[in-house]
Amino acid sequence: MNEKTVTFIVDGKEIKARPEQTIMKACDEAGVYIPRLCAFKDLSPFGSCRVCTVKVNGRPQAACTQPVGEGIVVESQTAEIQQIRRNIIDMLFVEGNHFCMFCEKSGNCELQAMAYRLGILAPKFPYMFPVRGVDASHPDIFIDWNRCILCARCIRTSCEIDGKNAYGFIGRGPHKRVATNSSAGLKGTDADVSDKAPANCPVGSLMYKRIGYAVPIGCRLYDKNPIGSDIEMKKTT
Amino acid sequence: MQKPKIATASLAGCFGCHMSLLDIDDRILKLIDLVDFDKSPVDDIKEFTGRCLVGLIEGGCCNEENVRVLQEFRKHCDILISVGDCAIDGGLPALRNGIPLKECLTEAYITGPTVYNPSGKIPSDSEIPLLLDRIYPCHEVVKIDYYLPGCPPPADTLWQALTALLSGKPIDLPYELIKYD
Amino acid sequence: MTAYNETIVKDICRRFGNERSRMMDVVKEVQTSFGHVPNEAMDAIARALSCPRVEVQSLVSFYAFLTERPKGNIIIRLCDDVIDRMQGFDRIADAFKEELGIGIGETTTDGKITLEATPCIGMCDQAPAALINDVIVTNLTKDAAREIVAGLREHGDPQRLVKRLGDGNNAHELVRAMVVNNVRRKGDVIFGEGKPSDGLKNALAMSPVEVIRAVKTSRLRGRGGAGFPTGIKWEFTRAAKDETRYVICNADEGEPGTFKDRVILTEKADLLFEGMTIAGYAIGAQAGILYLRAEYVYLRPYLEHALAERRKSGLLGNKILGHAGFNYDIRIQMGAGAYICGEETSLISSAEGFRGDPKTRPPFPAQKGYMGHPSAVNNVETLCCVTRILERGAGWYAQMGSNGTSGTKLLSVSGDCKIPGVYEIPFGITLKEFLAMAGAEDAAAVQVGGPSGQMVGPAEFNRIICYDDLATGGAIMVFGPQRDLLWVVSRFMEFFVEESCGYCTPCRVGNVLLRRKIEEVRAGKCDPAAIAYLEDLGQTVKIASRCGLGQTSANPVLTTLKNFRPLYTARMKENEAGMQMTFDISAAVRDAEIIAGRKSANF
Ligand SMILES: Cc1cc2nc3c(=O)[nH]c(=O)nc-3n(C[C@H](O)[C@H](O)[C@H](O)COP(=O)(O)O)c2cc1C
Ligand code: SF4
Ligand code: SF4
Ligand code: FES
Ligand code: FES
């Protein structure tokens, strides 16, 4: 190897990485999965969901934005961190209205899959049952705000991959939500069915119309294998 | 020795979770060996005959009757389990949670496109339990000890949970048996 | 107020060079013209600044003082901070509501006056207070409220409500505010003696590296709350490779209970601007930005004037004090109502014309700050200390204060004390000594550092005010034995819920959940398990949040759980029957009872 490398420790395992990598990227390459929702392979890091929280030399950091460093000691699968991750997933469930039983994304949903992976049977926090709407104005795409987790994957995909700016955040704090780049809603934007943005939404919030429930139960993405298995599979190679 | 007793109830649910319990197929015979059913739609016993080890609750609380039944279950059961998404998060009925009750009833009985109601009134009979302002997940009304999610939860989930409890072990479901749909 | 007119919007944009980064200023002026930022204006601004429309809406919808919907020409914003509430907010609010015939959040039917509530406006020492457009009114009474409404109805000019002017520069013709300074104790640094411009002259006689060394020798640490060593921050900023660098002064002062920067800005503006200039010289910056919170806009004309005077005297501009190659100027960036913008990276986002979202670190502002260039962000008081350090020497400064912490600190005290106001004290005194100064000997609890700090009780009053023990950005809120501390906690949580930017999950959702649980505890509806729930939830918010707001927002809960646990347990009861005490069946069936016209048969 002629490139410069740094070596660091994750949960007792030694990992080599390139100095410009984030902890998450380096761990992915080494077959160590760190749970995540807002981080996505082809998009710039964002750091909003905090599911990837780890401790770096004892200090909490988001693995998706924190760069590696020579000799750092990263804790990821500790009881404390796993509990924090479960709490964050619980928060996302109670913040919105996630009725998985009729959701088109069920089985392929990353939020649901993360809850499965972390063994969550029911959120410990009270449901907020917020009143949120749906934007079905566009012929091929819809937004169901009930399920949005504010990860900005649609915003980033539209800008970084689709070369558009169809979405953005408005409001602040608990009133924050995704909005479209037009006062007329989705139909007023240049979003179209060839966009990648709906495909990159982790949940059933930004979706292509008319392709729900296409895959039978049992054959969906996370029916058999937990989210992150693809990364962990690399361990053996 | 007396067998431990199980009670079940369907509150604001569709009986899907009870169907799933019956879906344990021939294992139901083993279950009968292990337990007696007390108050339950399965045996049509209407009132508790004594203390139960386990109560299985399907559905959330949408009316005062649901609340009464649930509270009674809490009083009679050592272990109370929310079975299925409706019990856990209200499920489909909870779609009305953002809508004021008056609007729901008006649309359902007066203005809805398929409604035929010449009286133009929302029915009110003392036999009809009063609706709550919204659907309440069971654990908002009483303490719940375990949750078995799914719509309905897979039969294997119910079987594993019950057998674990009956043998005094903690419920530890494998990945494939935790489902929210 | 004018009807919508696209030419006006275009003109405003042009005046700011159609610069995307000046969107805050553009939007504020558009709002001044039309009373709100209409839908069409957002499209027009987007076209002029060549950015997506949603970015304009994103900004407008973020700030409390910007609005997409029409409001009255006059907006009355009542400060509803805990201190104001303790001093009669409810009575005053009722008087305003009665006189105006509207509730909070509403506009009078003639469309002229809007009544709102707003978090701490930095006037806790003269509460209850309110902001009427740009004008501050203090020490409100019911009668004053009635007079205000009558006056506004009659002449519609908030400035005419100011009948008597405050002390010092509050009476300056460019300020004309009824605000009083309440400076109770002058120390040797901020309120010490000194000769104007000596600090700057001394600095320019040294090399920038020597200036930084002097600041390091003084052991000055940031006064904005985090306490980072100023010299080291400057060293990093100077070391970052770039041609362009910025000095940013953080005058967002939004932490409830903090109002010491207000007094500095009023009385010591030149001390501050001199410090900003020294900082510019030290780090090699060409420009400085004073980020001023919207609530302090009444000080802006005066501050602009002070800057203009400095330009005239050669203290800003090209070749400052004849020093070839040192060209530096300062501009003021107004905020628009967002506590989060006091967080340095949010402040930078805001100054760049975006919503005030914090930025991902690294890179730190010292590496990539304003517009991507290395920037040193410092608090108002910190920069004033710098001037004195250069004026009177690092050694002089370093020998003041305690072992670990050099210098003096401005504390702003409010609440249940006899002498609220601003005190310049040497670091190293105990909280108890300080409370005696402020006439707060019988305090039952003291919130040190504002809601994001800690609530301490008498058992901790012997602790020392310094960075290594009781650190504070300046707020000391005193609560007497008659106060319900859990009520205080719940108000603080309400503040954080509303002020979270919403970027990250734990802060956006966690604070809402904490507030809810505290309310349940207060209502006596919890069993002892609620303590573990609050601790677990609070820790998650603290550990996993992305910026300093979320990392400290659980402190009201966590520090009272630590120091005042009996307050919690006293309101809890065992729950053997297993019924949820939070479930209220009579409330749940009430709607149905009304609709059916009969009472529940079951309950
Ligand atoms: C939510 C939040 C609000 C803050 N508000 C202020 C403020 O109003 N004024 C301030 O100087 N620093 C504030 N800070 C601290 C700044 O981020 C930063 O540390 C400080 O301005 C640096 O200056 P100093 O080193 O001179 O203290 C705040 C931090 C957070 C997290
Ligand atoms: S988005 Fe995911 S978690 Fe939400 S309802 Fe759909 S499947 Fe469930
Ligand atoms: S719509 Fe989907 S991708 Fe966009 S922020 Fe919401 S959850 Fe994320
Ligand atoms: S994956 Fe890192 S914060 Fe979301
Ligand atoms: S009836 Fe079982 S989940 Fe709905």
Side-chain angles (χ1 to χ4, degrees), chain A:
Chain A
M1 206 181 279
N2 47 16
E3 272 178 85
K4 233 183 110 196
T5 61
V6 295
T7 308
F8 67 102
I9 311 279
V10 179
D11 291 337
K13 179 184 158 135
E14 195 176 287
I15 289 181
K16 287 205 186 320
R18 295 186 298 284
E20 73 281 2
Q21 283 183 311
T22 60
I23 292 173
M24 182 180 283
K25 271 259 154 39
C27 287
D28 281 1
E29 284 180 16
V32 174
Y33 176 72
I34 297 174
R36 72 203 64 180
L37 285 173
C38 69
F40 192 66
K41 54 183 183 339
D42 303 323
L43 302 174
S44 58
F46 193 65
S48 71
C49 74
R50 313 311 280 180
V51 173
C52 70
T53 297
V54 293
K55 280 198 175 173
V56 180
N57 296 340
R59 275 180 66 109
Q61 300 284 4
C64 68
T65 59
Q66 187 65 19
V68 296
E70 181 61 43
I72 57 170
V73 177
V74 179
E75 297 164 59
S76 174
Q77 303 285 328
T78 61
E80 182 196 13
I81 297 285
Q82 291 291 72
Q83 168 73 358
I84 285 170
R85 289 177 183 152
R86 270 192 290 272
N87 283 351
I88 293 173
I89 297 297
D90 283 358
M91 287 178 189
L92 290 170
F93 268 98
V94 301
E95 184 191 25
N97 294 308
H98 292 275
F99 296 111
C100 298
M101 70 291 278
F102 61 83
C103 179
E104 300 90 320
K105 196 76 171 195
S106 195
N108 302 308
C109 169
E110 295 178 31
L111 174 64
Q112 186 190 63
M114 201 61 72
Y116 291 172
R117 184 184 165 108
L118 294 170
I120 294 173
L121 298 175
K124 67 150 80 68
F125 306 124
Y127 291 97
M128 296 182 187
F129 295 117
V131 179
R132 296 189 188 168
V134 175
D135 181 345
S137 63
H138 192 282
D140 302 310
I141 299 170
F142 71 89
I143 302 177
D144 183 344
W145 283 291
N146 289 290
R147 304 165 181 161
C148 176
I149 58 167
L150 301 167
C151 66
R153 274 163 57 164
C154 55
I155 300 173
R156 285 175 288 154
T157 305
S158 183
C159 164
E160 296 169 21
I161 297 177
D162 298 333
K164 303 177 179 179
N165 285 290
Y167 315 96
F169 283 130
I170 60 166
R172 143 175 131 194
H175 315 290
K176 183 175 178 171
R177 67 174 181 84
V178 166
T180 53
N181 191 29
S182 159
S183 51
L186 254 185
K187 73 165 186 290
T189 68
D190 55 356
D192 74 60
V193 72
S194 64
D195 287 354
K196 273 295 206 195
N200 289 353
C201 176
V203 292
S205 181
L206 184 65
M207 303 275 284
Y208 302 108
K209 285 183 172 174
R210 295 179 295 276
I211 55 166
Y213 321 109
V215 182
I217 290 179
C219 308
R220 300 167 305 182
L221 216 44
Y222 305 117
D223 279 337
K224 301 242 159 55
N225 297 310
I227 187 166
S229 310
D230 49 340
I231 286 167
E232 287 168 325
M233 227 80 96
K234 290 186 204 151
K235 246 185 237 175
T236 46
T237 59

Side-chain angles (χ1 to χ4, degrees), chain B residues 89-151:
Chain B
D89 65 16
L92 270 179
L95 278 179
R96 80 159 162 101
N97 277 7
I99 308 166
L101 183 59
K102 176 97 187 187
E103 264 174 57
C104 288
L105 290 172
T106 306
E107 180 159 347
Y109 291 107
I110 305 172
T111 58
T114 57
V115 173
Y116 175 73
N117 179 2
S119 85
K121 285 197 187 120
I122 295 166
S124 169
D125 187 294
S126 55
E127 289 296 302
I128 309 174
L130 293 174
L131 289 180
L132 307 182
D133 55 343
R134 64 175 175 88
I135 307 296
Y136 290 79
C138 292
H139 61 272
E140 288 190 23
V141 176
V142 300
K143 295 242 157 166
I144 296 291
D145 302 298
Y146 290 100
Y147 301 86
L148 297 174
C151 189

Side-chain angles (χ1 to χ4, degrees), chain B:
Chain B
M1 200 186 76
Q2 233 200 332
K3 285 190 281 183
K5 291 202 280 191
I6 288 189
T8 77
S10 176
L11 307 178
C14 67
F15 268 94
C17 295
H18 275 84
M19 291 302 147
S20 202
L21 180 60
L22 300 181
D23 245 4
I24 59 176
D25 298 331
D26 52 349
R27 286 172 293 186
I28 197 105
L29 300 174
K30 282 194 209 147
L31 189 59
I32 301 295
D33 283 343
L34 293 172
V35 298
D36 281 333
F37 274 82
D38 197 287
K39 177 176 162 92
S40 168
V42 173
D43 54 16
D44 215 18
I45 297 179
K46 304 273 196 244
E47 297 299 333
F48 279 101
T49 63
R51 186 127 197 106
C52 295
L53 177 67
V54 179
L56 302 177
I57 305 291
E58 166 194 313
C61 293
C62 83
N63 64 31
E64 53 176 341
E65 170 70 8
N66 297 154
V67 172
R68 201 186 52 74
V69 171
L70 182 56
Q71 290 179 340
E72 205 184 329
F73 264 72
R74 181 68 276 180
K75 281 179 204 145
H76 286 89
C77 303
D78 294 341
I79 299 168
L80 203 54
I81 308 182
S82 268
V83 178
D85 293 347
C86 297
I88 293 173
D89 65 16
L92 270 179
L95 278 179
R96 80 159 162 101
N97 277 7
I99 308 166
L101 183 59
K102 176 97 187 187
E103 264 174 57
C104 288
L105 290 172
T106 306
E107 180 159 347
Y109 291 107
I110 305 172
T111 58
T114 57
V115 173
Y116 175 73
N117 179 2
S119 85
K121 285 197 187 120
I122 295 166
S124 169
D125 187 294
S126 55
E127 289 296 302
I128 309 174
L130 293 174
L131 289 180
L132 307 182
D133 55 343
R134 64 175 175 88
I135 307 296
Y136 290 79
C138 292
H139 61 272
E140 288 190 23
V141 176
V142 300
K143 295 242 157 166
I144 296 291
D145 302 298
Y146 290 100
Y147 301 86
L148 297 174
C151 189
D156 286 342
T157 303
L158 297 173
W159 174 250
Q160 289 222 10
L162 284 176
T163 46
L165 283 180
L166 291 170
S167 53
K169 285 196 249 151
I171 300 177
D172 188 16
L173 296 172
Y175 179 83
E176 309 76 49
L177 291 187
I178 303 178
K179 287 283 169 270
Y180 298 169
D181 60 4

Side-chain angles (χ1 to χ4, degrees), chain C residues 402-418:
Chain C
S402 69
N403 290 345
T405 314
S406 63
T408 63
K409 181 81 194 85
L410 289 196
L411 298 181
S412 42
V413 196
S414 59
D416 297 319
C417 62
K418 294 193 197 77

Side-chain angles (χ1 to χ4, degrees), chain C residues 191-489:
Chain C
F191 293 111
E193 298 298 318
K195 255 179 73 200
S197 304
D198 270 10
L200 180 57
K201 280 180 200 148
N202 290 344
L204 295 181
M206 306 184 204
S207 74
V209 174
E210 281 166 347
V211 175
I212 294 178
R213 195 175 306 137
V215 175
K216 280 170 79 176
T217 308
S218 76
R219 292 186 287 123
L220 172 64
R221 291 170 68 171
R223 301 299 196 237
F228 195 83
T230 307
I232 294 178
K233 186 186 285 187
W234 289 10
E235 200 166 57
F236 284 146
T237 317
R238 183 169 180 85
K241 285 208 176 51
D242 204 329
E243 298 295 302
T244 309
R245 293 193 190 81
Y246 292 96
V247 170
I248 298 178
C249 173
N250 188 341
D252 197 51
E253 195 164 60
E255 185 76 35
T258 319
F259 47 87
K260 46 113 191 160
D261 291 344
R262 174 196 94 209
V263 177
I264 296 181
L265 292 162
T266 312
E267 297 303 329
K268 296 286 171 189
D270 275 299
L271 192 68
L272 167 63
F273 291 139
E274 192 174 335
M276 285 180 76
T277 313
I278 294 168
Y281 177 71
I283 67 164
Q286 298 75 32
I289 297 172
L290 175 73
Y291 188 96
L292 187 64
R293 71 185 303 217
E295 292 81 348
Y296 292 172
V297 68
Y298 73 100
L299 291 169
R300 184 176 185 179
Y302 170 73
L303 294 170
E304 293 284 9
H305 168 76
L307 288 172
E309 290 295 309
R310 294 184 74 81
R311 283 183 203 111
K312 269 194 232 155
S313 316
L315 297 167
L316 284 176
N318 287 343
K319 284 200 258 176
I320 290 175
L321 289 176
H323 196 96
F326 182 41
N327 309 328
Y328 180 85
D329 209 334
I330 296 173
R331 81 167 171 94
I332 297 178
Q333 172 70 57
M334 290 309 302
Y339 164 68
I340 182 63
C341 289
E343 195 284 330
E344 56 185 13
T345 62
S346 306
L347 183 154
I348 291 172
S349 301
S350 181
E352 291 170 336
F354 291 97
R355 41 191 289 124
D357 285 339
K359 293 175 190 269
T360 298
R361 273 161 295 206
F364 292 89
Q367 305 163 285
K368 268 182 199 295
Y370 180 65
M371 303 304 282
H373 300 294
S375 307
V377 183
N378 279 117
N379 173 256
V380 171
E381 186 184 348
T382 313
L383 289 160
C384 290
C385 294
V386 163
T387 307
R388 292 284 190 238
I389 289 165
L390 270 295
E391 188 182 302
R392 307 195 50 182
W396 165 81
Y397 188 88
Q399 50 81 30
M400 277 181 286
S402 69
N403 290 345
T405 314
S406 63
T408 63
K409 181 81 194 85
L410 289 196
L411 298 181
S412 42
V413 196
S414 59
D416 297 319
C417 62
K418 294 193 197 77
I419 325 168
V422 173
Y423 295 72
E424 182 175 2
I425 53 117
F427 274 115
I429 67 170
T430 63
L431 180 56
K432 192 176 192 147
E433 287 166 320
F434 177 68
L435 292 173
M437 281 182 212
E441 290 89 345
D442 52 1
V446 179
Q447 183 76 25
V448 181
S452 72
Q454 40 186 325
M455 181 80 89
V456 297
E460 321 253 337
F461 286 178
N462 277 321
R463 288 177 62 186
I464 292 166
I465 300 174
C466 67
Y467 288 107
D468 307 318
D469 192 358
L470 270 182
T472 168
I476 304 279
M477 299 159 113
V478 183
F479 300 104
Q482 76 276 28
R483 303 296 172 189
D484 172 1
L485 288 190
L486 290 189
W487 168 79
V488 174
V489 171

